[in-house]
Amino acid sequence: MKKPVLLLGTVLTSLLLFSFSGKVECPNNLDSDCLTNTSYDPHNPFMEGLLMDEEVRNLSIEDINFIEDEEEIVLNFDPTLYLPLDFNAYMGMGLDLDTIVVEDLEEDIVLGFDPAQYLPIGFNAYEGMELDLNDIVVEEIEEEIDLGFEVMNYLPKGFNAYSK
């Protein structure tokens, strides 16, 4: 049973390979040389789309003309008749940082008892509080992340996320 199936599979594979043995002028249809060398069929919408894509890929910023259309607003009446004399819509719009008043509201904390009764005599909470940046120790704790599967099984061989 194995030999006839193997023979039939070999025959079908060879027929399939012979059917693709025609001459291929352009292995990559998106190659720019192939698009210009092939004959253009005006009734082929796919070739037209490829040619348009080729034009877009080769477009440079100097080829783009930016036209700014400024529309003039016509009110059909004179607004100065309805505004006070010496009206300036931009008056007072300058920002002076000295005129801004920042109020710092301190909230009183009510503990409900006198904490001085529980502290030593002459206690000063701020005594000896000189900040030296060299005394600060920063420790980074790198936590290993377990995703529940092996990530490298799903990435291509030689994959390096840190290389370009």
Side-chain angles (χ1 to χ4, degrees), residues 38-53:
T38 58
S39 61
Y40 175 69
D41 182 12
H43 303 293
N44 187 351
F46 300 112
M47 183 60 72
E48 183 178 337
L50 288 174
L51 289 174
M52 289 171 56
D53 286 346

Side-chain angles (χ1 to χ4, degrees), residues 9-132:
T10 307
V11 169
L12 288 176
T13 305
S14 62
L15 287 175
L16 182 67
L17 290 175
F18 283 128
S19 68
F20 290 114
S21 65
K23 182 180 177 186
V24 177
E25 293 179 16
C26 186
N28 184 2
N29 287 339
L30 297 177
D31 189 15
S32 63
D33 295 335
C34 294
L35 288 175
T36 55
N37 292 339
T38 58
S39 61
Y40 175 69
D41 182 12
H43 303 293
N44 187 351
F46 300 112
M47 183 60 72
E48 183 178 337
L50 288 174
L51 289 174
M52 289 171 56
D53 286 346
E54 179 70 20
E55 291 174 6
V56 170
R57 269 191 236 106
N58 293 333
L59 188 65
S60 68
I61 195 74
E62 289 83 20
D63 296 337
I64 299 173
N65 294 328
F66 179 70
I67 300 172
E68 187 173 343
D69 188 19
E70 293 185 21
E71 293 184 26
E72 185 176 327
I73 299 173
V74 179
L75 299 176
N76 293 328
F77 69 93
D78 187 13
T80 57
L81 299 175
Y82 301 96
L83 296 174
L85 296 175
D86 299 330
F87 176 77
N88 184 0
Y90 300 107
M91 184 180 359
M93 295 200 54
L95 178 62
D96 186 13
L97 295 178
D98 297 329
T99 60
I100 298 175
V101 177
V102 179
E103 294 182 12
D104 188 18
L105 301 175
E106 291 187 22
E107 295 182 23
D108 293 332
I109 300 173
V110 178
L111 297 176
F113 64 93
D114 185 16
Q117 297 175 358
Y118 301 98
L119 297 174
I121 297 172
F123 177 77
N124 184 0
Y126 300 108
E127 183 178 327
M129 291 190 67
E130 295 177 8
L131 180 62
D132 186 12

Side-chain angles (χ1 to χ4, degrees), residues 1-10:
M1 182 70 184
K2 277 187 168 181
K3 289 184 180 181
V5 171
L6 184 64
L7 182 64
L8 183 61
T10 307

